[in-house]
Amino acid sequence: MSQQMSRRHALAAGLAAGTALGATAIGVAPAMAAQPAPRRRDSGNPFLEGEFAPVPFEVTEFDLTVTGTVPKDLTGRLLRNGPNVLGLEDPLAHHWLVGDGMVHGVQLRDGKAEWYRSRWVRAKGTAEKLGEPVRGVPAETDFASNINVIGFRGKTLALQEGTARPQELTDELYTVGPCDFNGTWAGTMSAHTKLDPGTGELHSVSYDESTDYVQYVVISAAGEVRSARKIPMGGTLLMHDFALTEKYVVLYDQPILFDLDAMEHGQKIPWVWDTKRPNRVGYFPRAGGAVTWITVPPSYISHTLNSYDDGGDIVVDFVEFPAPFSADRLSTSAPPALVRWTIDRARGGVRRTLLDDRPQEFPRVPDARVGRRHRYGYTAATADFLKAYGHGSTPDSAFSNGLVKHDLATGRSQFHRFPKHASASEAVFVPRSGARAEDDGYVLSYVHNPERNASDLVILAAQDFTGKPIAQIHLPSRIPLGLHGSWIAGT
């Protein structure tokens, strides 16, 4: 067996650790008012308890109950992906990020919430656990994508990173199989692709645990790979996100390296922080050209809010964790904050500005502003995420669960507060029909409703951010705290 294949098989074994099918019942549940309360016993694994606890069934429900009024110009689906492990033998051996992906979605049309669905992503191993046939041709490294879900060229794609390929889903969230973009791509994609609103092209910077380079891939508006470029990194590293402007691609070379020996020494996943490796940011022209690298102080960039060209500078806004970051424990010494880098291309330096020091994550801008100068950004402040990351509760008890709207032109922000235990997920902005202003639209988020022990899809007016929700769509099930999603407009 080649060294590359050995690394792939070892990685697959690592991803499968702790996810073998146990005695837990799994399958499809009938319609229900709410699922049983998540177990709050001490399992020794915070990502298996409380609002993170996996749900044991897939659910379908039509004609959802609504408090308030769903705007009639909201036509489409709000989708969300996240780990939802199928069965478990040893909670202590389980890592949250290797749980089988489950996609949740609500369809809105004509002022109504037509349906809610939750479906596991049917990679080969997940389909076999469910006793179902395998969809499509399994990729070499098979994994039920659990990080993100996007819409592109009429396709719905569940995204992972590393050696996993995107999984195509139907509009009703059933798995079609691995996506190869009309036979033009057999490689991996990043979990955080960037769709250029001007060109319609999809950009990805992906890594593979068996290589010492990353690949910058551009998929044309026609849905086929237009170009692919290998960028040597001098090591096998984790590059979870990147940034895109109209002119440049920005890379985060953070010292989180693939190390199989780490699993032999008790880690659940083989990624370690290397204090000897410098922390760098790099940029290169989208049209082609050399990568310029700049050394920056150690930190961990989890997610990009947005990036844009500002004269000769490049501005990058992102959520930053202090170094070192433990990928195995998903923890750092202090909570994350919203930060700006201004990359001075002429002088070769980076200026760091703290935009907001309150604990927050999952930054988003309106899709129409990706790669362009933005004024507004949205983040989530969720107490349970901070606790799971080892930071206890938030510094201010009043700042426990909510969504933040940042006005980056004025430096001011607004906070929409939710009740205690009403954990908010990533916020997604959807423009109002005929909107002219950047914030003329709606902010959508799945929020845990502790009174029902189920989730609500909450719709806020972005220009009345602290006001009463326009609508709360009451779902029949709880959506575990998870990761990322998208609004996919319909007709």
Side-chain angles (χ1 to χ4, degrees):
M1 180 181 294
S2 69
Q3 182 180 8
Q4 178 171 330
M5 285 299 294
S6 296
R7 290 166 68 86
R8 286 183 181 274
H9 285 230
L11 175 70
L15 291 176
T19 61
L21 180 61
T24 304
I26 56 176
V28 180
M32 58 186 75
Q35 291 194 2
R39 294 178 296 173
R40 294 188 178 274
R41 65 178 179 81
D42 184 9
S43 68
N45 191 327
F47 293 103
L48 293 174
E49 300 173 356
E51 274 61 73
F52 286 97
V55 292
F57 298 109
E58 296 178 330
V59 177
T60 301
E61 179 119 339
F62 297 93
D63 298 324
L64 306 175
T65 302
V66 178
T67 298
T69 302
V70 176
K72 289 191 175 182
D73 58 345
L74 276 177
T75 300
R77 297 170 292 149
L78 180 68
L79 305 184
R80 225 288 317 277
N81 199 354
N84 194 83
V85 61
L86 263 172
L88 198 61
E89 290 183 347
D90 183 359
L92 293 178
H94 173 67
H95 195 283
W96 183 52
L97 294 181
V98 304
D100 307 74
M102 176 177 271
V103 177
H104 306 259
V106 170
Q107 167 76 46
L108 304 180
R109 191 192 311 272
D110 297 328
K112 298 179 181 179
E114 291 186 337
W115 53 252
Y116 162 74
R117 285 182 168 91
S118 59
R119 295 290 184 272
W120 273 290
V121 179
R122 263 69 165 181
K124 179 176 182 293
T126 308
E128 290 174 346
K129 291 179 187 180
L130 291 166
E132 299 176 358
V134 176
R135 271 79 165 173
V137 178
E140 184 177 345
T141 298
D142 178 72
F143 190 69
S145 302
N146 67 15
I147 295 180
N148 203 355
V149 56
I150 64 170
F152 179 64
R153 296 294 302 169
K155 297 180 183 294
T156 300
L157 302 176
L159 302 180
Q160 191 62 25
E161 58 189 64
T163 55
R165 287 169 55 190
Q167 292 278 351
E168 183 179 348
L169 311 177
T170 68
D171 288 353
E172 291 76 29
L173 308 184
Y174 294 105
T175 301
V176 176
C179 177
D180 62 5
F181 299 98
N182 298 324
T184 62
W185 188 242
T188 65
M189 289 185 65
S190 61
H192 291 287
T193 55
K194 314 295 180 189
L195 181 66
D196 187 311
T199 66
E201 295 175 329
L202 189 67
H203 297 251
S204 170
V205 174
S206 62
Y207 66 91
D208 186 315
E209 292 86 349
S210 64
T211 68
D212 60 357
Y213 57 81
V214 297
Q215 291 205 89
Y216 169 52
V217 180
V218 180
I219 304 167
S220 72
E224 297 181 351
V225 171
R226 177 174 66 79
S227 63
R229 174 184 175 182
K230 295 180 180 179
I231 302 170
M233 299 304 298
T236 304
L237 54 84
L238 184 152
M239 192 177 292
H240 181 62
D241 203 352
F242 70 104
L244 185 76
T245 76
E246 290 185 88
K247 298 179 180 178
Y248 293 95
V249 179
V250 181
L251 307 179
Y252 311 133
D253 180 4
Q254 301 174 110
I256 302 179
L257 302 182
F258 185 77
D259 184 357
L260 281 178
D261 292 338
M263 295 184 70
E264 297 180 4
H265 290 85
Q267 287 198 189
K268 300 172 186 176
I269 57 173
W271 295 100
V272 298
W273 185 277
D274 185 353
T275 57
K276 298 179 181 179
R277 183 183 175 98
N279 204 45
R280 305 185 301 170
V281 60
Y283 64 90
F284 61 92
R286 284 171 51 168
V291 181
T292 299
W293 292 105
I294 303 173
T295 300
V296 293
S299 68
Y300 174 65
I301 300 173
S302 64
H303 298 112
T304 305
L305 173 67
N306 195 30
S307 184
Y308 59 88
D309 303 304
D310 186 15
D313 296 340
I314 300 173
V315 175
V316 187
D317 293 346
F318 57 89
V319 168
E320 178 188 68
F321 286 80
F325 179 80
S326 171
D328 183 60
R329 297 189 303 275
L330 295 177
S331 65
T332 56
S333 59
L338 189 64
V339 168
R340 168 170 291 178
W341 277 350
T342 302
I343 301 173
D344 186 333
R345 294 178 49 247
R347 299 182 180 181
V350 175
R351 183 173 69 254
R352 179 185 182 276
T353 305
L354 180 62
L355 298 177
D356 193 320
D357 64 355
R358 292 175 294 185
Q360 56 200 289
E361 249 284 25
F362 305 115
R364 296 290 294 260
V365 292
D367 291 343
R369 303 313 306 165
V370 171
R372 278 74 177 159
R373 185 186 294 270
H374 59 280
R375 176 173 180 176
Y376 299 105
Y378 304 88
T379 57
T382 303
D384 274 24
F385 263 110
L386 291 171
K387 292 176 183 177
Y389 275 62
H391 300 305
S393 59
T394 50
D396 179 356
S397 60
F399 190 82
S400 57
N401 288 296
L403 301 176
V404 188
K405 176 186 179 183
H406 298 275
D407 185 336
L408 298 167
T410 65
R412 298 174 182 173
S413 65
Q414 295 176 289
F415 187 75
H416 187 96
R417 183 173 293 110
F418 294 111
K420 185 177 182 180
H421 300 309
S423 302
S425 66
E426 180 182 61
V428 176
F429 176 87
V430 183
R432 188 177 61 84
S433 177
R436 295 181 179 270
E438 182 180 326
D439 66 340
D440 187 3
Y442 313 102
V443 176
L444 282 62
S445 176
Y446 288 117
V447 180
H448 180 66
N449 186 326
E451 294 181 0
R452 299 191 307 112
N453 189 43
S455 295
D456 294 336
L457 171 50
V458 176
I459 303 175
L460 306 177
Q463 293 183 334
D464 183 22
F465 193 73
T466 61
K468 184 179 179 181
I470 297 174
Q472 293 172 277
I473 301 168
H474 305 299
L475 309 186
S477 174
R478 183 174 57 83
I479 298 180
L481 276 177
L483 295 169
H484 310 285
S486 304
W487 171 257
I488 301 179
T491 57

